[in-house]
Amino acid sequence: MSRSGSGKKPVGFATHITAGGFAGACEALTCQPLDTIKVRMQLSRSGRAPGTKPRGFFATGAYIVNRETPLALYKGLGAVLSGIVPKMSIRFASFEAYKGWLADKSTGKTSVGGIFLAGLGAGTTEAVAVVTPMEVVKIRLQAQQHSLADPLEIPRYRNAAHAVYTIVREEGASALYRGVSLTALRQATNQAANFTVYQELKKVAQRWQPDLQDLPSYQHMMIGLISGAAGPMSNAPIDTIKTRLQKSSFPSGTSAMRRILNIAEDMWKTEGVKSFYKGLTPRILRVAPGQAIVFAVYERVSTAMERLGKKEHEEDSYSE
């Protein structure tokens, strides 16, 4: 996060790009199994029969491990890693850019409303630039219920690159942007809530500890954990419909709105209102710790890069 509000020189654009990308990679490697379980729960039709219950979080995880081996929890990781580094770079860099444009010109500070709008802009930007095609590929890979222990069980999509090739060949390039409106809406509300809560809680922590120049990493993690849970709780139905939309195929010529309404109507009639909140538990368990990791790593890396840049600048000054 920019430190301009505390009287320090604002962090450079390259720092936001680098620190955001590094933080995203750490998050993906740590949290991918939770995301796979979330996707499977959202795509599951279990619980439709009278007297039966939908498969829960731990039951879904155990089913994947028993049926497909533990490595199946990392299905789609290649697509995630190839997308999350630019996604996080774009997220932090665009947020800081929007935040700077919305800042008060006389004080350089951004209001809570300005931070919320900057978060909306950052979420929309990352959704259009990276997230939508990345998630279409990731969900297709995660939805495949083949055993990685059986070499004779050949999946439809072998890896992320093959998935992209197959989707474009069979469904057209536009299929990679299926659900872009819902993805943009989800990412925008996610990041608006995420950045607003994070920035405000960080200000509170700094007011309580005025002697600290920088908050310790564990405090960044705790604040990120809380802010990370805010988004999923506010837009769970959007995420569930988006997941099913990106997994499904529709006849050519079907409008995006018609597809969304068909999915929502089918969920309402056959599975009830609870189906819109399928996967909320693993999503919070995935997103909240993920944001804790992202913010802690981002703050640590950006601080280290600032200090390194300052040290190099001082050495250059001495050499002159």
Side-chain angles (χ1 to χ4, degrees), residues 150-203:
D150 185 356
L152 298 179
E153 195 169 349
I154 302 174
R156 177 174 173 78
Y157 307 113
R158 294 193 295 270
N159 50 49
H162 181 251
V164 171
Y165 173 76
T166 304
I167 293 168
V168 172
R169 185 189 64 186
E170 296 181 357
E171 304 172 51
S174 62
L176 292 173
Y177 277 86
R178 184 169 294 153
V180 64
S181 58
L182 285 177
T183 303
L185 181 59
R186 185 200 65 178
Q187 293 302 114
T189 52
N190 262 354
Q191 300 318 313
N194 188 21
F195 279 114
T196 303
V197 173
Y198 182 83
Q199 294 266 358
E200 291 306 302
L201 289 179
K202 184 179 174 182
K203 289 176 185 176

Side-chain angles (χ1 to χ4, degrees), residues 58-134:
F58 292 107
T60 301
Y63 178 82
I64 294 171
V65 170
N66 293 333
R67 169 71 175 79
E68 306 167 47
T69 78
L71 286 176
L73 293 171
Y74 285 90
K75 282 180 178 179
L77 180 61
V80 173
L81 280 175
S82 63
I84 200 167
V85 173
K87 179 182 87 169
M88 289 298 179
S89 298
I90 291 170
R91 174 183 297 178
F92 282 100
S94 62
F95 171 76
E96 292 295 339
Y98 296 141
K99 180 184 169 186
W101 295 339
L102 293 166
D104 186 300
K105 303 305 179 185
S106 59
T107 63
K109 294 183 179 180
T110 310
S111 66
V112 176
I115 291 172
F116 186 84
L117 290 175
L120 283 175
T124 303
T125 302
E126 70 179 18
V128 174
V130 179
V131 176
T132 303
M134 179 190 79

